[in-house]
Amino acid sequence: MAPAGQRQTGWWLLILPAFLLMTAFYVAPIAQVLAISFTEPQPGLGNYERLFTSESVQRVIGTTLRICTITTALALLLGYVLAYRIALAEARARRWWILVVLVPLWISVLVRAFAWVTLLRRQGLVNQALMESGLVAEPLQLVWNEFGIVVGMVHYMVPYAVLPMLASMREIDPRLLAAARGLGAPRQTVFARIFLPLSLPGLIAAGVLVFIFSLGFYITPAILGGGKTLMVAEWIGLQILDLIRWGLGTMMATVLVVTILATLAVFSRVVDLRRVFGSGA
Amino acid sequence: MSAAGHALALQGLTKRYGTFTAVDDVSLKVESGQFLTLLGPSGSGKTTILMCIAGFVAPTAGAVLLDGRDITALPPEKRDFGMVFQGYALFPHMTVAENVAFPLRVRRMGTAERAEKVRAALDLVQLDRFAERRPSQLSGGQQQRVALARALVFDPALLLLDEPLSALDKKLRAELQEELKALHRRVGRTFVNVTHDQEEALSLSDRVAILNHGKLVQEGAPTALYDRPRTRFVADFLGKSNFLHAAVQQGGAEAMQLAIGATPLVQRILPGAPHPAPGTKLLLSLRPEKIALLADGETADNMVEGRIATWSYLGAGFGLSVATQDLGMLRVTLPSWGAPIAPAEGLAIRLGWSASASVPVEEDAA
Ligand SMILES: Nc1ncnc2c1ncn2[C@@H]1O[C@H](COP(=O)(O)OP(=O)(O)OP(=O)(O)O)[C@@H](O)[C@H]1O
Ligand SMILES: [Mg+2]
């Protein structure tokens, strides 16, 4: 997609001012975080040793990776279906669909998390409906566990999944699909052999974006997890603010940042990262 | 690829979008192995007709028949037609060979046979060396040939082409026209081509169908259409023409006497054509290349005097605009090689043409 190294350079130049600003306000504090993770409580690699020895550290990482993977998979699936629907819609219908997808982005994440709690709690609308229809006898535990977190996170992430996928689907020439049918391919084959491969860059981009976003989720898991299921962001907050274990907290923060950078580095080789940040073209 | 092509017929084909009629009651027949071109200005409904034939557009009324069988309701993937789209629509994520193999793959043909057919199809369009390239690494002309190979590889019943040459420059277009014509002869299939380039239509086709505002205006062999246009639109769209408004003076069995102002004209009457009564107003179409320059003392059925108003050198010929007393401005083209005069503005000349050079045409309904 970007055959010329020259185009890459141009792109980097464009973000140079932002990059300088980031250096002053982000890199400096992050460097400090990094430093603390090696110095508190004593200098050395003690905090990082915990990655291999502490069961609670491993559990929180495991939980985070599991929730993020499930969230990413579900958000991609739902997002792909939505994006496909939107990409093939008429111009007028498409504008409405995009609005519907974007509206949640303008609602505070806090409001959305509490809305889900109201819907999913034992006396909530969902449990009431399930019991009245006779599907379940007892209210289900739908919130304050991983299920609740995943529901909230998927809801939050679907728009972020839709946008890069929609951008890459809109680039597909509709005549290619007509041509494939004209050459004898039934609809499923047209989708599997033409549409899906051509929308793959958008799918991967959306996957990277959603996964990275999910790793750092704080408010949604904190509210929908009810303090019982911890993901790294909340765990870091707990270490630093409640338990005053700066060394451990900053170690995990460093691990999180490194993971995100590594993910980006790996996928920048596979896919045009400009898509991830929504440039579309 | 030796099986004969199939015959196609359109019966009263009509397509409306809301209140707008894009295709209006078009009936056409294409015999097996013929090359038919749909010709018309932009928006005349050519693509819509082709899409109805291919099955992408459902006609509002009328039927599409293949060898007498009604296929109007058949989905496109079941029709077995090869199609070359405007802009080619090659699959960008596949190589040339994979593109050409696509129709065979969806027909679940075995690997060995598939490879064999792909090679034969690429040979046919002389692209065997480019099998492993991506479409983006090919020139426009090469892409066009890949599209042709892909459309022909599965021995389609019919080949549909939507302005296959329109994206190319003039020279390449002429070259590919030749190739397309040769290809048609080699594979012996029925071709339906869409274009708004009249030269392409004349040089390629066995039959040309001329469309305007969704209606079929005239259909026939290229020479018949060019020499005997039925309406002013056809005469004007297919090549250039002078239009003369004349009044019938006196009828006759084979020719009639006409006049424009004080200039008498003779017009041959084609066998089977009507014999208009004296006083009738006629519109004549007269091709610029059918008018000759008369030397001193030379005579012709029709003669006028005039002065050259403007002229231009066209390489193979001169294009003259000649101002005349009664006939207004006449467009004349003369071969430049061995031209008897050196054109100059204001030069007085005599023009002549035979009684069968011009043809009466109908004024188009508004
Ligand atoms: N989906 C549609 N909805 C409404 N009108 C349409 C639609 N498709 C085509 N038309 C109209 O039908 C008419 C014929 O269109 P068509 O594409 O067949 O023209 P064409 O002869 O192929 O023109 P061109 O040479 O520009 O390709 C046009 O006026 C066009 O605006
Ligand atoms: Mg068209």
Side-chain angles (χ1 to χ4, degrees), chain B residues 17 20 22 41-48 86 163 196:
Chain B
Y17 292 108
F20 176 78
S42 188
S44 56
K46 308 178 296 285
T47 299
T48 310
Q86 212 164 347
E163 310 218 13
H196 54 245

Side-chain angles (χ1 to χ4, degrees), chain B:
Chain B
M1 297 196 191
S2 57
H6 294 250
L8 178 82
L10 306 180
Q11 289 180 344
L13 196 74
T14 301
K15 177 67 191 179
R16 285 192 202 92
Y17 292 108
T19 55
F20 176 78
T21 308
V23 177
D24 195 354
D25 194 20
V26 169
S27 296
L28 259 182
K29 265 205 173 105
V30 197
E31 302 299 333
S32 161
Q34 267 189 347
F35 195 127
L36 171 83
T37 294
L38 302 175
L39 176 69
S42 188
S44 56
K46 308 178 296 285
T47 299
T48 310
I49 293 178
L50 204 70
M51 289 300 161
C52 287
I53 299 174
F56 293 114
V57 168
T60 314
V64 180
L65 307 183
L66 186 70
D67 294 329
R69 192 168 60 98
D70 189 338
I71 58 161
T72 318
L74 210 61
E77 63 268 25
K78 298 254 169 70
R79 294 196 181 192
D80 247 10
F81 294 169
M83 175 134 190
V84 177
F85 281 76
Q86 212 164 347
Y88 316 138
L90 298 178
F91 305 131
H93 59 301
M94 299 183 189
T95 63
V96 166
E98 285 166 345
N99 261 283
V100 177
F102 183 83
L104 305 178
R105 197 180 266 275
V106 301
R107 283 169 179 76
R108 309 194 182 287
M109 183 181 280
T111 324
E113 196 184 353
R114 201 165 69 207
E116 181 57 40
K117 289 224 173 202
V118 168
R119 188 140 33 82
L122 287 176
D123 270 346
L124 189 72
V125 295
Q126 293 146 29
L127 276 182
D128 29 324
R129 288 178 299 122
F130 298 94
E132 294 314 313
R133 291 223 196 156
R134 299 264 162 168
S136 58
Q137 299 165 320
L138 298 178
S139 74
Q142 290 164 341
Q143 289 184 23
Q144 191 259 1
R145 285 185 276 166
V146 176
L148 271 174
R150 188 179 67 175
L152 282 168
V153 71
F154 58 102
D155 285 329
L158 201 67
L159 190 69
L160 306 175
L161 306 132
D162 192 358
E163 310 218 13
L165 308 175
S166 64
L168 308 174
D169 62 55
K170 202 172 161 157
K171 190 155 180 296
L172 190 58
R173 189 157 36 171
E175 219 173 281
L176 287 172
Q177 273 174 18
E178 288 298 310
E179 279 188 31
L180 199 58
K181 198 169 176 169
L183 192 69
H184 173 246
R185 258 191 242 112
R186 252 179 294 160
V187 300
R189 308 258 139 202
T190 313
F191 280 36
V192 180
N193 178 40
V194 159
T195 185
H196 54 245
D197 177 342
Q198 42 113 353
E199 272 177 44
E200 181 185 320
L202 292 176
S203 73
L204 287 179
S205 328
D206 298 314
R207 299 191 79 75
V208 178
I210 297 187
L211 297 155
N212 195 22
H213 300 308
K215 286 201 178 70
L216 179 65
V217 188
Q218 193 175 356
E219 189 252 352
T223 49
L225 286 184
Y226 188 82
D227 289 333
R228 292 188 298 282
R230 197 174 60 75
T231 73
R232 179 183 182 128
F233 171 79
V234 175
D236 205 23
F237 194 70
L238 213 55
K240 294 187 173 125
S241 180
N242 295 293
F243 293 101
L244 306 175
H245 293 271
V248 179
Q249 301 293 309
Q250 195 189 331
E254 295 200 337
M256 51 189 160
Q257 309 293 322
L258 311 174
I260 301 177
T263 307
L265 297 176
V266 189
Q267 172 65 49
R268 195 173 111 83
I269 302 172
L270 293 169
H275 292 248
T280 315
K281 301 266 185 239
L282 279 188
L283 180 66
L284 302 181
S285 156
L286 177 59
R287 300 280 184 201
E289 73 281 3
K290 295 185 181 174
I291 302 176
L293 197 67
L294 298 182
D296 281 342
E298 195 179 348
T299 61
D301 297 342
N302 298 290
M303 292 180 284
V304 289
E305 288 177 0
R307 286 179 185 281
I308 297 179
T310 58
W311 64 278
S312 47
Y313 177 58
L314 306 171
F318 288 111
L320 312 179
S321 282
V322 181
T324 64
Q325 179 77 43
D326 292 320
L327 276 56
M329 203 64 86
L330 279 184
R331 283 197 286 186
V332 180
T333 51
L334 300 175
S336 56
W337 184 249
I341 55 157
E345 273 168 36
L347 189 68
I349 52 175
R350 278 197 327 129
L351 301 172
W353 62 94
S354 80
S356 53
S358 51
V359 276
V361 294
E362 288 166 29
E363 197 62 78
D364 295 272

